[in-house]
């Protein structure tokens, strides 16, 4: 049945979705705001055993004379007028700092996500065409790899590639300053991309097993097994069945997890990987903002996290009517 | 208690590994004699110090034995609590669907997921508000969606099955139906989620340790050992020991995931 945009159910779904999205954003940002407000922000005072002051008390800002809710509304008004404040840490507008960091984080997570999906898809293909022993081996190996802590994977890579420090490949620290001004585009690209290699590899090894196990779960659904038996009965090989039917199904099911994966890679895995490899993305920036008490920068990162995660979910809910039924 | 352990035979390996790790660590700690700081440089593995020493001259094997027990027990307790809490919540919200009208669980999950847990933990850790109790509460608050969503979905599908409808028509109370029908079925179905939950919690625990916000005891923890190893790559035994320790802690959960998978595949073969 064709669903028209003037259909009341579609409109109602969108209005309801918008309402819940705004409410979710409001609640999430309010919780973040409370956390920041009650966190003591000057580490030096704290370690000098002085009286611990909250952000509001320390700044003696108008916020401190208001109630918590008024302070929150004041903050939101500032945000809606486009004033994200100024970073104390970098002494530039917060929006500028976030722009740079966001590019790094988006590059890292997009690359890793694409590689993970590609890798998992290829392994799923091998899994599908292999015999029972091969299936057991692949499933077991990937299960173990999935169980490994991401810190473990990242540090194993550090050990493996530490010996390549001298050759200039996979540096663990930022590349040294080059005085030679005759750099071509390739050199510039290579210098910029070197920093991404190990973090991307870490995220690839950490995330591919997750996606693969998801694919295996999807292939084991009753309807897929019946489909498989049907085509086998018609004399098709496993390889043909995979590329004709299973591949399309697997790729279409990625729709249900792409948003969560992306947000997860940026803010959860990315946070850890960026700190380990000192990559100046959102996670690393957030960490530095916390330990230096940079309220505006930190609040902007928190808010961005909430906006991305809630808004992406809203878009999917609006576009795909059965999104939540599948999630359940 | 049978429904908590649906694959008893296969789960013996998990239990045995858990007890074995604890036993070996306890024995090692009992037989350990502290000889104080050796020197301010790391010693490589030798007969006297099996896994070498840290940069401060402490015996790595003792640090490992102590921290593995602490981490393993803490992880087990946390995983159990989060699992029980989330599954119970999912069952209640799935069975009493009307509740979702007043308190929509998916929206709450969305709100919970839109708060960066690691950053919240770093705030608490940085200002010394993080201890095992606060960590446990935060894990309960932030990790329950992992199982609750699936549990709710299962409960919603089971509540329209024939046995449940018949029981409701015969006047059996909701609590009794949940206890006798839903809880066993859903716990069984969600046992494979336990290793995933454990890995997720362990990831959070290790990264906090790694960043220096350890709260399990006053001595060095696994994550801080790994962090020290990363900063002193010229002494690779520190990092390798730390990573080995991480693997040992996860071993019971890896075995659990294997046992569930192999049990599932055997059941599949029997069906065919």
């Amino acid at each position: 049945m064709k669903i028209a945009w003037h259909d009341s159910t579609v409109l109602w779904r969108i209005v309801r979705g918008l309402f819940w999205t705004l409410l979710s954003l409001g609640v999430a940002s309010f919780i973040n705001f409370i956390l920041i407000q009650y966190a003591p922000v000057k580490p030096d005072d704290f370690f000098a055993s002085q009286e611990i002051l909250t952000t509001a008390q320390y700044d003696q800002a108008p916020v401190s004379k208001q109630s918590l809710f008024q302070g929150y509304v004041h903050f939101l008004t500032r945000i809606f007028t486009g004033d994200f404040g100024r970073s104390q840490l970098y002494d530039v507008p917060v929006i500028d700092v976030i722009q740079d960091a966001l590019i790094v984080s988006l590059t890292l997570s997009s690359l890793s996500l694409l590689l993970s999906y590609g890798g998992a898809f290829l392994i799923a293909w091998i899994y599908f065409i292999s015999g029972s022993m091969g299936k057991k081996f692949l499933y077991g190996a990937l299960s173990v790899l999935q169980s490994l802590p991401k810190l473990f994977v990242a540090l194993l890579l550090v050990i493996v590639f530490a010996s390549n420090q001298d050759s200039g490949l996979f540096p663990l620290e930022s590349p040294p300053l080059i005085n030679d001004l005759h750099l071509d585009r390739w050199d510039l690209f290579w210098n910029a991309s070197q920093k991404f290699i190990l973090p991307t590899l870490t995220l690839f090894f950490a995330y591919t097993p997750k996606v693969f196990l998801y694919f295996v779960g999807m292939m084991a659904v009753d309807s897929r097994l019946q489909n498989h038996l049907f085509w086998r009965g018609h004399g098709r090989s496993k390889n043909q069945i995979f590329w004709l039917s299973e591949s399309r199904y697997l790729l279409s099911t990625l729709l249900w997890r792409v948003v969560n994966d992306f947000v997860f890679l940026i803010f959860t895995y990315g946070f850890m990987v960026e700190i380990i490899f000192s990559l100046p993305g959102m996670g690393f920036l957030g960490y530095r903002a916390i330990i230096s008490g940079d309220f505006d920068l930190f609040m902007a990162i928190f808010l961005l996290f909430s906006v991305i995660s809630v808004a992406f979910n809203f878009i999917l809910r609006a576009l795909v009517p059965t999104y939540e039924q599948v999630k359940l | 208690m049978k429904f908590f352990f649906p694959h008893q035979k296969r789960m013996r390996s998990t239990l045995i590994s858990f007890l074995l790790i604890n036993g070996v660590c306890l024995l090692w700690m009992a037989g350990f004699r502290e000889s104080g700081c050796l020197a301010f440089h790391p010693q490589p593995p030798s007969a006297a110090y099996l896994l070498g020493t840290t940069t401060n001259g402490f015996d790595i094997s003792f640090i490992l034995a102590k921290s593995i027990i602490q981490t393993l027990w803490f992880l087990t307790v946390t995983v159990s609590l989060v699992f029980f809490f989330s599954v119970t919540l999912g069952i209640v919200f799935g069975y009493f669907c009307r509740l979702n009208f007043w308190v929509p669980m998916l929206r709450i999950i969305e709100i919970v997921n839109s708060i960066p847990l690691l950053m919240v933990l770093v705030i608490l850790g940085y200002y010394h508000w993080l201890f095992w109790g606060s960590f446990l509460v935060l894990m309960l608050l932030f990790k329950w969606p992992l199982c609750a969503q699936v549990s709710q979905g299962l409960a919603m599908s089971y509540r329209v099955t024939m046995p449940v409808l018949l029981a409701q028509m015969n006047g059996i109370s909701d609590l009794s139906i949940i206890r006798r029908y839903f809880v066993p079925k859903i716990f069984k179905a969600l046992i494979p989620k336990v290793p995933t939950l454990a890995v997720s919690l362990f990831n959070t625990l290790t990264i906090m340790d790694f960043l220096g916000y350890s709260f399990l005891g006053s001595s060095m923890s696994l994550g801080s050992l790994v962090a020290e190893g990363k900063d002193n790559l010229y002494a690779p035994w520190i990092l390798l020991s730390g990573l080995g320790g991480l693997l040992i802690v996860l071993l019971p959960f890896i075995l659990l995931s294997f046992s569930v998978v192999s049990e599932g595949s055997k059941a599949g073969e029997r069906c065919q």
Side-chain angles (χ1 to χ4, degrees):
Chain A
M1 191 182 75
K2 195 178 175 184
I3 300 173
W5 281 100
H6 53 77
D7 191 337
S8 64
T9 54
V10 177
L11 271 177
W12 172 238
R13 207 175 56 233
I14 291 173
V15 170
R16 207 176 49 175
L18 257 177
F19 168 74
W20 277 114
T21 306
L22 288 175
L23 190 72
S24 305
L25 268 179
V27 173
S29 62
F30 188 54
I31 293 172
N32 295 341
F33 185 78
I34 294 171
L35 270 173
I36 302 290
Q37 281 295 309
Y38 284 100
V41 291
K42 288 292 165 187
D44 297 341
D45 296 345
F46 182 83
F47 289 113
S49 305
Q50 292 179 10
E51 191 187 354
I52 300 166
L53 303 174
T54 60
T55 311
Q57 287 167 333
Y58 188 89
D59 291 343
Q60 290 298 309
V63 177
S64 61
K65 291 165 190 165
Q66 299 165 341
S67 70
L68 193 68
F69 187 70
Q70 281 173 327
Y72 173 66
V73 174
H74 181 257
F75 167 77
L76 273 190
T77 323
R78 246 183 352 116
I79 294 291
F80 279 122
T81 52
D83 177 18
F84 284 85
R86 198 173 176 82
S87 164
Q88 292 165 12
L89 187 63
Y90 297 97
D91 201 23
V92 286
V94 164
I95 202 86
D96 292 347
V97 185
I98 285 193
Q99 268 176 4
D100 294 343
L102 196 60
I103 291 170
V104 173
S105 286
L106 284 178
T107 312
L108 176 68
S109 46
S110 324
L111 264 177
S112 319
L113 196 65
L114 273 177
L115 281 175
S116 306
Y117 280 171
F121 186 74
L122 285 179
I123 301 171
W125 170 51
I126 297 169
Y127 176 86
F128 191 80
I129 58 173
S130 54
S132 64
M133 280 305 287
K135 278 184 178 164
K136 274 181 188 167
F137 172 76
L138 271 177
Y139 196 92
L142 271 288
S143 298
V144 171
L145 195 58
Q146 194 224 5
S147 306
L148 294 180
K150 312 316 159 219
L151 189 69
F152 186 93
V153 178
L155 292 174
L156 268 185
L157 286 173
V158 168
I159 294 176
V160 170
F161 291 110
S163 55
N164 283 317
Q165 286 272 52
D166 299 334
S167 64
L169 284 171
F170 314 116
L172 303 176
E173 290 156 9
S174 306
L177 288 171
I178 301 167
N179 293 321
D180 182 13
L181 294 176
H182 299 288
L183 284 172
D184 59 13
R185 284 179 184 176
W186 168 249
D187 284 335
L188 284 171
F189 173 73
W190 178 240
N191 281 342
S193 58
Q194 265 182 329
K195 282 191 274 183
F196 284 94
I197 296 174
L198 281 187
T200 310
L201 270 179
T202 306
L203 291 180
F204 170 73
F205 283 122
Y207 223 72
T208 305
K210 261 180 186 280
V211 184
F212 166 74
L213 294 179
Y214 171 75
F215 280 157
V216 171
M218 286 291 120
M219 286 193 285
V221 175
D222 280 348
S223 58
R224 301 317 299 170
L225 291 175
Q226 282 167 12
N227 180 59
H228 179 71
L229 286 175
F230 174 80
W231 287 112
R232 289 292 278 172
H234 281 71
R236 300 287 178 119
S237 69
K238 281 183 180 179
N239 207 5
Q240 283 174 324
I241 296 171
F242 184 83
W243 291 109
L244 283 174
S245 150
E246 291 296 325
S247 58
R248 288 177 198 172
Y249 174 72
L250 291 183
L251 290 177
S252 67
T253 58
L254 282 180
L255 180 68
W256 312 119
R257 54 178 299 146
V258 69
V259 172
N260 286 337
D261 285 349
F262 197 64
V263 174
F264 199 64
L265 274 175
I266 291 183
F267 288 103
T268 308
Y269 283 16
F271 180 86
M272 187 199 74
V273 168
E274 282 166 12
I275 291 172
I276 293 174
F277 294 106
S278 304
L279 198 67
M282 295 289 286
F284 186 63
L285 201 66
Y287 181 64
R288 288 204 66 192
I290 295 170
I291 57 177
S292 58
D294 194 340
F295 171 76
D296 282 335
L297 179 58
F298 187 49
M299 199 59 208
I301 291 173
F302 254 43
L303 206 63
L304 192 70
F305 179 91
S306 305
V307 168
I308 288 179
S309 128
V310 175
F312 275 14
N313 268 317
F314 165 69
I315 292 168
L316 265 186
R317 265 207 317 276
L319 291 179
V320 187
T322 53
Y323 179 58
E324 289 196 331
Q325 280 91 320
V326 174
K327 270 176 89 182
L328 277 174
Chain B
M1 290 296 283
K2 196 180 172 185
F3 59 82
F4 289 147
F5 301 105
H7 318 293
Q8 285 108 331
K9 280 185 186 170
R10 295 274 168 178
M11 283 180 72
R12 271 180 206 155
S13 57
T14 308
L15 196 63
I16 289 170
S17 67
F18 183 83
L19 293 174
L20 208 63
I21 291 168
N22 274 294
V24 171
C25 289
L26 281 173
L27 277 176
W28 189 260
M29 281 166 69
F32 180 77
R33 286 184 186 174
E34 199 172 355
S35 56
C37 287
L38 289 168
F40 284 99
H41 56 82
Q43 301 281 322
S46 62
Y49 302 99
L50 272 183
L51 297 173
T53 62
T54 61
T55 46
N56 291 328
F58 292 111
D59 191 348
I60 293 176
S61 59
F62 181 74
I63 294 173
L64 275 186
K66 197 174 173 186
S67 50
I68 281 173
I69 292 185
Q70 281 176 344
T71 316
L72 191 56
W73 273 100
F74 185 74
L75 192 65
T76 311
V77 171
T78 317
V79 168
S80 318
L81 283 177
V82 173
F83 183 71
F84 278 81
F85 178 68
S86 57
V87 170
T88 312
L89 211 63
I91 291 174
V92 170
F93 273 84
Y95 186 77
F96 302 105
C97 277
R98 290 261 167 192
L99 269 179
N100 284 289
F101 183 77
W102 302 105
V103 193
M105 193 164 143
L106 281 177
R107 296 290 83 74
I108 297 172
I109 288 176
E110 210 167 281
I111 292 170
V112 170
N113 285 340
S114 63
I115 298 171
L117 168 66
L118 277 174
M119 291 194 185
V120 172
L121 283 172
V122 171
I123 292 179
L124 296 181
Y126 195 71
Y127 298 108
H128 297 213
W129 290 343
L130 196 64
F131 60 102
W132 66 269
S134 57
F135 185 82
L136 199 63
V137 171
L138 277 175
M139 288 300 110
L140 275 177
L141 286 176
F142 281 91
K143 295 287 183 184
W144 64 267
L146 278 175
C147 291
Q149 220 167 333
V150 184
S151 155
Q152 190 196 9
L154 285 174
M156 281 168 97
S157 61
Y158 288 151
R159 70 190 287 277
V160 289
T161 54
M162 200 51 82
V164 178
L165 293 175
L166 278 174
Q168 282 172 342
M169 281 165 67
N170 283 321
I172 297 173
S173 68
D174 290 336
L175 193 69
S176 186
I177 295 172
I178 288 176
R179 192 165 55 85
R180 292 186 186 177
Y181 187 78
F182 281 76
V183 173
K185 267 180 142 8
I186 290 175
F187 266 84
K188 253 184 203 176
L190 284 179
I191 285 286
K193 276 263 173 193
V194 172
T196 318
L197 186 64
V199 170
S200 164
L201 288 171
F202 190 56
N203 267 329
T204 315
L205 192 67
T206 46
I207 191 70
M208 291 310 291
D209 261 2
F210 181 79
L211 293 176
Y213 306 117
S214 174
F215 53 88
L216 294 175
S218 54
S219 62
M220 273 185 90
S221 55
L222 283 175
S224 45
L225 193 67
V226 168
E228 190 180 322
K230 193 222 164 195
D231 292 339
N232 300 286
L233 281 175
Y234 66 92
W237 56 88
I238 304 177
L239 184 53
L240 288 173
S241 308
L243 295 182
L246 294 183
L247 264 192
I248 291 171
V249 173
L250 268 186
L251 192 65
F253 297 103
I254 292 176
L255 285 175
L256 176 63
S257 100
F258 262 123
S259 66
V260 172
V261 167
S262 54
E263 189 68 26
S265 64
K266 281 206 163 189
E269 281 165 17
R270 278 199 295 272
C271 287
Q272 282 176 3

